[in-house]
Amino acid sequence: MMKLPVRVATLAIGLALVVVLLGGWTRLNDAGLGCPDWPGCYGTWVLPDDHTELAAAHPDALIDLRKGWIEMIHRYAAGTLGLLVLWLAVLGYRYRERAEYPSALSGGLLVLVVAQAIFGMWTVTLQLLPAVVTLHLLGGLSTLALLVVLRQRLLRAEAESAPTRSHPWIRVMFLALFIQLALGGWTSTNYAGWACSDWLYCHQDNHPGYDFSTGLNPFMAVGPNYEGGLLHADARAAIQVTHRAGALLLIFVSLLGTRALWRRPELRRGLAAYWSLLLVQVLLGVANIIWMLPLGLAVAHHAGAVAVMLALLHLNGRVRKPAGEINHGYAIAH
């Protein structure tokens, strides 16, 4: 019974990863408004090779076919992911009478994907309003995370494993990571990645100060075009240093969590992988500041955040398994 749902979930995880990375690629290429309408692009589902016809139909628009294609490819992938999540929801409804089947999670994922589509529309119609774009990013990451959790639960149900609960320190680490991901999204959507010129301080000379009340205020006026960001330097600097503080918080919480989890030998490899990715992510953040956010490093930093989340999800899947099953699998692996 579980083979088909597991396969669909695995396919959906792969596509969700592509969608999340494409979302970052779209945002970092300033292509969020590459299509001025939704769900199509300039009234069409497939952009033409030449923009002459579009320019005649939209004389007031500055048409950039490259940005339009980046946005449309992201939408194609997201739409296909939506169909896979719908398939999982149908399977969840079919097997809803089986107590071990995660039907509620399958249905919840469908609701989340529908909400994601709405936020995708608002991203365009509200012209990159930072709160909407940040929530859209967090929704994409949540979709990927919940698909991984769904697959883990399906595998446990297939193996007829006893239900377990997540370790408290894993949940605390997830909370710290979620805060940092939200701060990273807020930094990106407000174009505050280059607000500080020094990787250790913010500015060694001529420090502009910090305007936290403005920079961290999610309630902004609806109507203006937020492409490029509208906040002044003090507010953007406040966002940048808050994101750095979030990184320190995540490292501190991860140290405490590692201390509690390291006593279990079967988790040490997963912890080592998590820390390796976390340290690489810190180095990428520093490099982005030093070299003023080049596209390649910015994309790598976005992908690194996703990798850290997946490493923690993998660790969560390991720690949730019954102790005998974990030790047996560890012995086989070694």
Side-chain angles (χ1 to χ4, degrees):
M1 178 193 75
M2 296 295 178
K3 289 185 188 239
L4 178 59
V6 168
R7 289 173 182 170
V8 178
T10 302
L11 183 59
I13 289 170
L15 188 53
L17 180 59
V18 171
V19 170
V20 168
L21 294 178
L22 281 174
W25 178 254
T26 301
R27 187 175 65 258
L28 294 169
N29 275 278
D30 293 327
L33 296 179
C35 296
D37 49 348
W38 187 95
C41 192
Y42 295 101
T44 182
W45 287 97
V46 180
L47 289 170
D49 295 331
D50 185 16
H51 73 279
T52 304
E53 183 179 342
L54 291 180
H58 304 272
D60 297 328
L62 182 60
I63 297 173
D64 187 332
L65 289 179
R66 176 180 172 273
K67 290 184 177 181
W69 268 116
I70 291 174
E71 175 62 17
M72 284 307 295
I73 289 172
H74 176 52
R75 293 182 187 181
Y76 295 152
T80 305
L81 175 62
L83 294 177
L84 288 177
V85 171
L86 175 60
W87 191 358
L88 286 169
V90 170
L91 290 171
Y93 181 79
R94 180 183 299 175
Y95 299 121
R96 66 189 182 281
E97 301 298 332
R98 298 179 181 266
E100 73 277 11
Y101 196 95
S103 299
L105 180 55
S106 301
L109 268 165
L110 180 60
V111 173
L112 178 58
V113 167
V114 171
Q116 272 294 91
I118 295 173
F119 274 103
M121 175 186 67
W122 285 343
T123 294
V124 176
T125 59
L126 298 180
Q127 302 188 85
L128 303 183
L129 183 67
V132 170
V133 180
T134 301
L135 288 173
H136 192 43
L137 167 65
L138 293 176
L141 292 171
S142 298
T143 301
L144 175 59
L146 290 178
L147 282 169
V148 172
V149 172
L150 176 65
R151 184 178 182 276
Q152 290 172 347
R153 291 187 182 179
L154 288 170
L155 289 173
R156 285 199 299 273
E158 185 178 34
E160 298 182 350
S161 300
T164 59
R165 297 186 65 184
S166 178
H167 194 283
W169 270 111
I170 294 288
R171 285 179 287 194
V172 175
M173 291 165 70
F174 264 122
L175 176 60
L177 178 60
F178 180 83
I179 291 172
Q180 180 61 355
L181 291 172
L183 288 172
W186 191 247
T187 301
S188 178
T189 56
N190 281 284
Y191 299 84
W194 49 80
C196 296
S197 59
D198 187 77
W199 70 271
L200 183 58
Y201 307 99
C202 186
H203 297 282
Q204 289 186 339
D205 302 313
N206 300 320
H207 194 286
Y210 303 119
D211 184 356
F212 291 99
S213 60
T214 301
L216 301 181
N217 180 16
F219 303 104
M220 297 182 180
V222 175
N225 186 330
Y226 284 91
E227 187 172 25
L230 297 182
L231 296 179
H232 54 77
D234 292 14
R236 298 194 201 201
I239 294 173
Q240 174 67 244
V241 298
T242 304
H243 182 43
R244 296 184 188 188
L248 294 176
L249 173 65
L250 176 59
I251 291 171
F252 177 70
V253 169
S254 298
L255 283 171
L256 295 178
T258 300
R259 182 182 178 187
L261 296 170
W262 193 259
R263 66 192 65 177
R264 297 176 60 170
E266 70 276 5
L267 301 179
R268 291 177 183 173
R269 178 176 291 180
L271 286 167
Y274 170 77
W275 271 103
S276 297
L277 291 169
L278 184 59
L279 292 176
V280 168
Q281 182 68 348
V282 171
L283 292 175
L284 285 171
V286 171
N288 271 291
I289 294 170
I290 293 174
W291 284 289
M292 297 302 291
L293 217 67
L295 180 60
L297 281 177
V299 172
H301 194 51
H302 173 74
V306 178
V308 171
M309 184 187 75
L310 291 176
L312 191 54
L313 284 167
H314 174 73
L315 192 62
N316 181 62
R318 296 280 294 174
V319 80
R320 274 179 168 270
K321 293 181 181 178
E325 184 180 335
I326 291 178
N327 292 332
H328 177 67
Y330 185 80
I332 290 175
H334 287 71

